[in-house]
Structure formats: structure tokens, C-alpha cells
Amino acid sequence: MIRRVGYHVAMSVVSFLWVAPILWVIVISFRSFDDVAANGLGSLPHSFTLSTYKSAWEDADEFRALINSLLVTIPAVLLSLGLASIAAYGLARYSIPFRRTILLLMLMGNLLPPQILLIPISRFVELIGYYDTLIALIAVHVGFGLGFYTFVLHGFMRDLPREIQEAATIDGAGPGKIYSAVILPLTRPALAALGALSFTWIFNDLLWSITVIRSGEKMPVTPALLGLQGLFVSSWNVIAAGTVIAAVPTVAVFLRFQKHFVGGLAIGAVK
């Protein structure tokens, strides 16, 4: 009994410490500038206002930054998972020469620290004429995510029963039909889990955005929040409101795919 009570108390403390920074940001986002300036960021709120969200949305042009993030994130996620599923299908279900070497080479790209690739990537997209474009940012995310996604999907597809593919082949289905009508539906839990993860990673990306994009009107939401620090030097309530707004899409995607996300992780853990 004492152990159970101690466990619940400890977990309650850990849970509070986990969500405390998030609650702190939300509280600040509803405080007025005068309240924050007079009492400090760490004090209890003495005011309540929604004007901070209006300032972040209109004055800081966060709506355009969110649109830029979605214009990058949605195509990058779809392209990454689509190409990775095709590559994983070929490597996992057919006897392609050196397929293990190919898979390791694709995965090696994810082992390199991104910091050492910033200058080469920046120069490369500049040489091919795509610097400061959202297309370049999409291509970077697809290129760096493809190896990891292929590796995960390869392990999932490899363990699917061979009899399913053999039965489809006897019924006259070709490789393309087997991929689209048999393998891809069975891989849906893994795709949903990777989709939720990749959406979060790409939507919240900062490093590649400031490496490839220069113009302020093309910046995704995360680097745009950095710009708020310069535009509103001491308006931390506006910055907090902008942070809350920026978190809404990723939270919505996670809640939408939570069931598939947990299921995909559980399947991977069992295997």
C-alpha cells in the first residue's frame, strides 16, 4: 500500500514537472504586457487578455508562417513515406542484389551529424538555383528522412507472411498491384506512426529552415518565432502566444493519429 501511494505521488510530481513549462507558457500568453513588465515572468498572473494572440497572428504575420510550414511539411511527409514504402517493398519482398548494402548505405545518411552538412547543403542548393525556395527545403527533408523511414518500413514489411504475397501472385497480381492492394494496407500502422513523427520533426524544424531559406516571407513558423524576439524585444507574452499557436497543428496531428501511433510503436517493440 505504501509503495503504491509512493509510486502515485512520485508519478504525479514527475508529470507536473513535465507539463509545468507548457502550462507556464500558456499562462504567460494570456497576460498583458503591463502585467509581465510590472510583476515579471515568474509571478502569478494579474491580468487576462487575448490581444497577445491577435498581435502574434496579425502583427507578426504568423498565419503566413504557418502556411509556409504546411506547404513544406505535407509534401515532404507524403513524398518521404511514399518513396520509402516503395524502396522498402522492393528491398524486403524481392531478392535484389546487395539489398542489405543498399539499406545500410541509405541508413548511413542519418548517422551523419546535420551540423557538418549545413554548408555543403547550402552551397549545393545555391548552385542548382533553388536556394531560398520551399522546394529546396522539401527536398532536404525528403532526402534526410528517406533512409530512416525505409529502414523502419523494411523491417515491418519483411515480417509480413510470404503466403499473402504468393496468394496474390497466383491470382495474377503483379508487383505493383501487390504493393498497392496488399502490402501497403497491411503497413498502415507503421506508416501512421512514421507520419505522425515526421510531421512533428519537419513542422518544428529550425536548422534546415534557416540554412536553406533566407527571405522572411518564406520562413516556416519555427524560425518566424525567432524573429519575434527581435521584433518584440520584451513582449514575451506575444512570443508565448505565438508558440501556443505554432503548437496547435502538431498536437492536432498527434491526437488524430494517436491510436495508430501507439499501435505502430507496440508492433515494432514486439518484433
Side-chain angles (χ1 to χ4, degrees), residues 16 40 46 71 85 89-91 102 114 141-143 161 167 175 201 207 214-215 227 230 233 243 246 269 271:
F16 176 76
H46 295 75
L71 288 176
S85 64
Y89 170 63
L91 294 172
I102 295 173
H141 284 302
V142 172
W201 290 340
L207 190 64
R214 177 182 297 170
S215 303
V233 177
T243 304
K271 291 178 179 177

Coordinates of all heavy atoms in Angstrom, one line a residue, residues 16 40 46 71 85 89-91 102 114 141-143 161 167 175 201 207 214-215 227 230 233 243 246 269 271:
F16 N 3.8 16.6 -13.2 CA 3.7 18.1 -13.1 C 4.9 18.8 -13.6 O 4.8 19.8 -14.3 CB 3.5 18.4 -11.6 CG 3.4 19.9 -11.3 CD1 2.3 20.7 -11.7 CD2 4.6 20.6 -10.8 CE1 2.3 22.0 -11.5 CE2 4.5 21.9 -10.6 CZ 3.4 22.7 -10.9
G40 N 6.9 40.6 -13.6 CA 7.9 39.6 -14.0 C 7.3 38.4 -14.6 O 6.1 38.1 -14.4
H46 N -1.8 38.7 -13.1 CA -2.7 39.7 -12.5 C -3.6 40.3 -13.6 O -4.3 41.3 -13.4 CB -1.9 40.9 -11.9 CG -1.0 40.5 -10.7 ND1 0.1 39.7 -10.8 CD2 -1.3 40.7 -9.4 CE1 0.6 39.5 -9.6 NE2 -0.2 40.1 -8.7
L71 N 3.0 24.1 -46.2 CA 3.4 23.9 -47.6 C 4.7 23.0 -47.7 O 5.0 22.4 -48.8 CB 3.6 25.2 -48.3 CG 2.4 26.0 -48.6 CD1 2.7 27.4 -49.2 CD2 1.5 25.2 -49.6
S85 N 8.3 3.7 -48.7 CA 7.5 2.5 -48.8 C 7.8 1.7 -50.0 O 7.9 0.4 -50.0 CB 6.0 2.8 -48.7 OG 5.6 3.6 -49.8
Y89 N 9.5 -1.9 -49.9 CA 8.8 -3.0 -50.5 C 9.8 -3.8 -51.4 O 9.8 -5.1 -51.4 CB 7.7 -2.5 -51.3 CG 7.0 -3.5 -52.2 CD1 6.4 -4.6 -51.7 CD2 7.0 -3.3 -53.6 CE1 5.8 -5.6 -52.5 CE2 6.4 -4.2 -54.4 CZ 5.8 -5.4 -53.9 OH 5.2 -6.3 -54.7
G90 N 10.5 -3.1 -52.2 CA 11.5 -3.8 -53.1 C 12.6 -4.5 -52.4 O 12.9 -5.7 -52.7
L91 N 13.1 -3.9 -51.3 CA 14.2 -4.5 -50.6 C 13.8 -5.6 -49.7 O 14.5 -6.6 -49.4 CB 14.9 -3.4 -49.7 CG 15.6 -2.3 -50.5 CD1 16.1 -1.2 -49.6 CD2 16.8 -2.9 -51.3
I102 N 22.6 -1.8 -49.8 CA 21.8 -0.6 -50.2 C 21.1 0.0 -49.0 O 21.1 1.2 -48.8 CB 20.8 -1.0 -51.3 CG1 21.5 -1.5 -52.5 CG2 19.9 0.1 -51.6 CD1 20.6 -2.0 -53.6
P114 N 23.9 16.5 -38.7 CA 23.4 17.6 -39.6 C 24.3 18.8 -39.6 O 24.4 19.5 -40.7 CB 22.0 17.9 -39.1 CG 21.6 16.7 -38.3 CD 22.9 16.2 -37.7
H141 N 14.4 17.7 -46.6 CA 13.7 16.9 -45.6 C 13.4 15.5 -46.2 O 13.5 14.5 -45.4 CB 12.4 17.5 -45.2 CG 12.5 18.7 -44.2 ND1 13.1 18.5 -43.0 CD2 12.1 20.0 -44.3 CE1 13.1 19.7 -42.4 NE2 12.5 20.6 -43.2
V142 N 13.1 15.4 -47.4 CA 12.8 14.1 -48.1 C 14.1 13.3 -48.1 O 14.2 12.1 -47.7 CB 12.3 14.3 -49.5 CG1 12.2 12.9 -50.2 CG2 10.9 14.9 -49.4
G143 N 15.2 14.0 -48.5 CA 16.5 13.3 -48.6 C 17.0 12.8 -47.3 O 17.5 11.6 -47.2
P161 N 3.7 -12.2 -43.7 CA 3.8 -13.6 -44.2 C 4.0 -13.6 -45.7 O 3.3 -12.9 -46.5 CB 2.4 -14.1 -43.8 CG 2.0 -13.3 -42.6 CD 2.5 -11.9 -42.9
A167 N -0.2 -15.8 -52.6 CA -1.6 -16.0 -53.0 C -2.0 -14.9 -54.0 O -2.7 -15.2 -54.9 CB -2.5 -15.9 -51.7
P175 N 3.8 -7.0 -59.3 CA 4.4 -6.4 -58.1 C 3.7 -5.1 -57.7 O 3.6 -4.8 -56.6 CB 5.8 -6.1 -58.7 CG 6.1 -7.2 -59.7 CD 4.7 -7.4 -60.3
W201 N 8.6 16.3 -36.7 CA 10.0 16.7 -36.9 C 10.1 17.8 -38.0 O 10.8 18.8 -37.8 CB 10.8 15.5 -37.4 CG 11.0 14.5 -36.4 CD1 10.9 14.6 -35.0 CD2 11.3 13.1 -36.6 NE1 11.1 13.4 -34.4 CE2 11.4 12.5 -35.3 CE3 11.5 12.3 -37.7 CZ2 11.6 11.1 -35.1 CZ3 11.7 10.9 -37.6 CH2 11.8 10.4 -36.3
L207 N 16.7 24.1 -38.0 CA 18.1 24.1 -38.5 C 18.1 24.2 -40.0 O 18.8 25.1 -40.6 CB 18.8 22.8 -38.1 CG 20.3 22.8 -38.4 CD1 21.0 23.8 -37.6 CD2 20.8 21.4 -38.0
R214 N 16.1 32.2 -46.9 CA 16.7 33.5 -46.4 C 15.6 34.5 -46.3 O 15.6 35.3 -45.3 CB 17.7 34.0 -47.5 CG 18.3 35.4 -47.2 CD 19.2 35.8 -48.3 NE 20.4 34.9 -48.4 CZ 21.3 35.0 -49.3 NH1 21.1 35.8 -50.3 NH2 22.3 34.2 -49.3
S215 N 14.6 34.5 -47.2 CA 13.6 35.6 -47.1 C 12.6 35.4 -45.9 O 12.2 34.2 -45.7 CB 12.8 35.6 -48.4 OG 13.6 35.7 -49.5
G227 N 12.2 35.3 -35.1 CA 12.1 36.7 -35.5 C 11.3 37.6 -34.5 O 11.5 38.8 -34.4
G230 N 13.2 39.6 -32.0 CA 13.8 40.8 -32.5 C 12.8 41.9 -32.7 O 13.0 43.1 -32.4
V233 N 11.0 42.9 -28.6 CA 12.1 42.6 -27.8 C 11.7 42.1 -26.4 O 12.2 41.1 -25.9 CB 13.0 43.9 -27.6 CG1 14.2 43.6 -26.7 CG2 13.5 44.3 -29.0
T243 N 4.0 30.8 -29.8 CA 4.4 29.5 -29.5 C 3.2 28.5 -29.4 O 3.2 27.4 -29.9 CB 5.3 29.4 -28.3 OG1 6.4 30.3 -28.4 CG2 5.8 28.0 -28.0
A246 N 1.7 28.0 -32.8 CA 2.5 27.1 -33.6 C 2.4 25.6 -33.1 O 2.7 24.7 -34.0 CB 4.0 27.5 -33.5
A269 N 7.9 -2.8 -31.1 CA 8.5 -3.3 -29.9 C 8.5 -4.8 -29.8 O 9.4 -5.5 -29.4 CB 7.8 -2.7 -28.7
K271 N 8.3 -6.9 -32.3 CA 9.2 -7.5 -33.2 C 10.6 -7.3 -32.8 O 11.5 -8.0 -33.3 CB 8.9 -6.9 -34.6 CG 7.6 -7.4 -35.2 CD 7.3 -6.8 -36.5 CE 6.0 -7.3 -37.1 NZ 5.6 -6.6 -38.4

